[in-house]
């Protein structure tokens, strides 16, 4: 069925980037990043209060099993993300970025609100964990297409030579969410007793996060469609369309390269930001607020670090930056964890968090631009969504559960370091051995062929 485009001013922006005003570009940047920020705010809050959520919704009488069930529910949101990525990515490539982003912000807000309002197991029994599971599935499906569509919107608004810099604002939104979520967590854990946290305190951030939904929808609904998408649609004379089989046949190599780009960064991100608070409490036996303070500072550093990394990638080539940064991280991951474990103090945890933050900024700041560079406009959202979500599901969303389980089985607290080293080698192999990665390393300005 042919997709139609109703006559709306927002659907027909100026065809060229040169004719866009600064206010239009600023509005597009804000519309792109606001949903990603909400996504990360919700994810991080869930991780920070994992022990409390376990007690509220999974009171099985065994602390380790209860936490595992909570992290398993957290992981479910990632398991459904590739499905959401395929469906929503294809939808965004057919009807446009603006309409898709407007729909996604409402879905995310609804799932966040459900999480914050669901009564505990003591009130409604088995319905409580089932509703939490539903909220995670809803969020997983919606965010399956969120990162890719927003990244496409950002880079398609960016002038040539600034794709990595513009794309880095998608990562900056994660840093802002990191600051806000950890600040919420630090404030609540510092000012509320355990009973208050369990009864209502942990819900406050979810309810506040849900308020972003209507504001985000308004901003996204008013933004103009991506100039590159409009140009493609006018050139084709109809909505872009491609079968999944055709996509894999033509873009399989690019998809593997894209997964390689993401794997080491997402493993680092989820271990140091989502899993670290739990690790600090259970393995290092330090107060939760120590980890949350370092996480908040990490977010502040990243707000500056991501755009600087994007600028550097535009200057020297993102794929040329990727290899040395990843190799350095593989080399220092073990000594960094070993140093913290040798004498677990708040000072050492904080120092290690800062080192990881600097490396992660250099590594992940260019990610949105790097991914969108691999795929042409007609399949960009599909390609980025599929690659990104598979990589994030396998090495990011499942990382807390995987590492926590391996620590329990092996009894070794150094497991996170081994996990990061493994992720680094996988990334280096996928990017280094694919034709797409080799081409972009030779020619940083190479574009995907339509």
């Amino acid at each position: 069925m042919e997709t139609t485009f109703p006559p709306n001013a927002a659907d027909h922006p100026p065809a060229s980037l040169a004719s866009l005003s600064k206010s239009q570009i600023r509005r597009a940047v804000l519309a792109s990043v606001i949903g990603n920020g909400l996504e990360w705010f919700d994810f991080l809050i869930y991780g920070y209060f994992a022990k409390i959520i376990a007690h509220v919704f999974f009171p099985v009488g065994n602390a380790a099993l209860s936490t595992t069930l909570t992290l398993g529910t957290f992981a479910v949101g990632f398991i459904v993300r590739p499905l959401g990525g395929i469906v929503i990515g294809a939808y965004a490539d057919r009807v446009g970025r603006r309409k898709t982003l407007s729909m996604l912000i409402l879905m995310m807000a609804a799932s966040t609100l459900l999480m914050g309002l669901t009564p505990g197991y003591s009130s409604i029994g088995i319905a409580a964990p089932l509703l939490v599971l539903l909220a995670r599935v809803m969020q997983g499906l919606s965010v399956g297409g969120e990162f890719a569509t927003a990244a496409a919107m950002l880079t398609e608004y960016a002038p040539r030579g600034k794709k990595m810099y513009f794309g880095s604002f998608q990562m900056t939104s994660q840093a802002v969410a990191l600051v806000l979520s950890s600040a919420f967590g630090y404030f609540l854990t510092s000012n509320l007793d355990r009973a208050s946290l369990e009864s209502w305190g942990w819900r406050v951030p979810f309810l506040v996060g849900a308020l972003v939904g209507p504001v985000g929808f308004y901003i996204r609904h008013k933004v103009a469609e991506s100039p590159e998408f409009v140009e493609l649609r006018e050139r084709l004379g109809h909505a872009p369309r491609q079968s999944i089989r055709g996509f894999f046949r033509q873009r399989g190599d690019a998809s593997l390269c894209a997964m390689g780009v993401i794997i080491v960064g997402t493993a680092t991100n989820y271990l140091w930001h989502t899993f670290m608070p739990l690790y600090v409490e259970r393995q290092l036996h330090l107060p939760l607020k120590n980890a949350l303070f370092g996480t908040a500072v990490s977010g502040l550093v990243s707000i500056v670090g991501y755009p600087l990394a994007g600028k550097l990638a535009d200057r020297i080539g993102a794929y040329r930056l990727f290899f040395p940064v990843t190799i350095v991280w593989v080399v220092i991951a073990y000594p960094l964890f070993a140093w913290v474990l040798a004498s677990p103090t708040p000072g050492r945890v904080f120092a290690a968090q800062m080192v990881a933050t600097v490396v992660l900024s250099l590594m992940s700041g260019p990610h949105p631009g790097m991914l969108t560079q691999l795929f042409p406009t007609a399949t960009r959202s599909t390609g980025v969504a599929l690659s990104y979500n598979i990589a994030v599901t396998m090495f990011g969303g499942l990382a807390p559960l995987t590492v926590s389980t391996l620590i329990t089985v092996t009894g070794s607290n150094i497991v996170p370091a081994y996990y990061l080293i493994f992720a680094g080698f996988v990334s280096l192999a996928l990017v280094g051995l694919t034709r797409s990665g080799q081409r972009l390393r030779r020619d940083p300005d190479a574009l995907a062929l339509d």
Side-chain angles (χ1 to χ4, degrees):
M1 184 176 67
E2 195 75 13
T3 302
T4 59
F5 297 86
N8 183 307
D11 287 317
H12 297 280
S16 68
L17 281 168
S19 59
L20 292 173
S21 67
K22 290 184 178 180
S23 64
Q24 285 177 304
I25 294 176
R26 283 196 299 268
R27 194 179 304 123
V29 171
L30 180 59
S32 299
V33 303
I34 192 168
N36 196 48
L38 174 59
E39 168 199 345
W40 265 89
F41 182 87
D42 189 10
F43 278 170
L44 291 166
I45 286 295
Y46 191 101
Y48 298 158
F49 292 107
K51 285 184 67 176
I52 293 176
I53 292 173
H55 182 75
V56 172
F57 294 108
F58 303 95
V60 296
N62 182 303
L65 178 59
S66 183
T67 301
T68 299
L69 289 173
T70 303
L71 293 177
T73 305
F74 179 77
V76 165
F78 288 86
I79 293 172
V80 301
R81 282 177 69 157
L83 174 62
I86 293 173
V87 175
I88 296 172
Y91 180 79
D93 282 331
R94 281 185 61 81
V95 308
R97 321 306 189 200
R98 182 185 71 89
K99 292 180 180 179
T100 306
L101 290 173
S102 298
M103 173 189 71
L104 289 172
I105 192 73
L106 293 181
M107 289 180 65
M108 282 190 288
S111 63
T112 304
L113 185 63
L114 179 60
M115 186 70 204
L117 292 180
T118 298
Y121 187 92
S122 61
S123 298
I124 59 174
I126 192 64
L130 291 178
L131 285 173
V132 171
L133 182 63
L134 174 62
R136 293 294 301 155
V137 170
M138 286 174 57
Q139 190 184 50
L141 291 173
S142 62
V143 302
E146 168 65 31
F147 180 93
T149 307
M153 184 75 138
L154 275 172
T155 55
E156 288 171 4
Y157 260 89
R160 188 172 179 83
K162 293 187 176 181
K163 299 289 188 181
M164 304 299 157
Y165 175 63
F166 267 60
S168 70
F169 287 110
Q170 181 78 331
M171 306 306 299
T172 301
S173 71
Q174 295 184 9
V176 172
L178 185 63
V179 173
L180 293 178
S181 60
S182 54
F184 258 109
Y186 183 80
F187 176 81
L188 291 171
T189 54
S190 299
N191 292 278
L192 296 179
D193 57 34
R194 186 75 179 186
S196 297
L197 277 174
E198 289 186 0
S199 63
W200 60 271
W202 70 270
R203 298 179 184 274
V204 173
F206 287 101
L207 299 177
V208 171
L211 297 177
V212 176
V215 177
F217 176 79
Y218 176 81
I219 294 172
R220 288 183 164 184
H221 187 67
K222 292 295 182 180
V223 76
E225 181 57 88
S226 148
E228 284 188 24
F229 183 82
V230 171
E231 181 183 0
L232 173 68
R233 186 180 62 192
E234 292 176 348
R235 175 160 51 87
L236 294 176
H238 57 75
R241 50 182 177 262
Q242 181 174 4
S243 67
I244 295 298
R245 177 182 295 180
F247 170 82
F248 281 113
R249 185 174 61 251
Q250 297 178 26
R251 308 296 170 192
D253 181 83
S255 296
L256 285 175
C257 181
M259 283 187 271
V261 167
I262 289 296
I263 284 171
V264 66
T266 194
T268 304
N269 209 350
Y270 279 87
L271 283 185
W272 279 97
H273 293 155
T274 303
F275 181 67
M276 183 53 66
L278 186 63
Y279 184 81
V280 164
E281 275 195 305
R282 289 185 57 186
Q283 271 68 49
L284 304 185
H285 307 292
L286 296 173
L288 174 61
K289 64 181 182 181
N290 292 134
L292 294 178
F293 176 76
T295 302
V297 177
S298 294
L300 290 172
V301 173
S302 298
I303 289 172
V304 178
Y306 285 137
L308 289 178
K311 280 183 174 290
L312 180 61
D314 279 323
R315 181 182 294 272
I316 68 174
Y319 285 83
R320 292 175 180 173
L321 179 65
F322 171 84
F323 284 95
V325 172
T326 303
I327 291 170
V328 166
W329 189 225
V330 167
V331 170
I332 70 172
Y334 183 92
L336 192 63
F337 267 97
W339 179 69
V340 173
L341 287 170
S343 179
T345 63
R348 288 201 176 197
V349 171
F350 180 80
Q353 285 177 297
M354 294 306 101
V355 172
T357 297
V358 172
V359 174
L360 184 61
S361 295
L362 289 170
M363 188 185 296
S364 299
H367 276 175
M370 293 173 75
L371 298 186
T372 57
Q373 189 181 13
L374 287 164
F375 303 96
T377 308
T379 58
R380 183 165 290 145
S381 286
T382 302
V384 174
L386 188 65
S387 308
Y388 175 81
N389 285 301
I390 290 176
V392 170
T393 297
M394 293 178 62
F395 287 87
L398 293 176
L401 178 61
T402 301
V403 172
S404 178
T405 302
L406 288 174
I407 290 174
T408 301
V409 171
T410 64
S412 173
N413 290 334
I414 200 71
V415 165
Y418 292 125
Y419 188 86
L420 291 174
I421 292 169
F422 174 70
F425 277 118
V426 174
S427 282
L428 290 170
L430 287 178
V431 178
L433 298 178
T434 51
R435 295 187 304 277
S436 299
Q438 293 169 0
R439 179 172 61 90
L440 285 164
R441 193 178 181 186
R442 290 192 304 268
D443 180 9
D445 295 321
L447 298 175
L449 300 176
D450 287 308

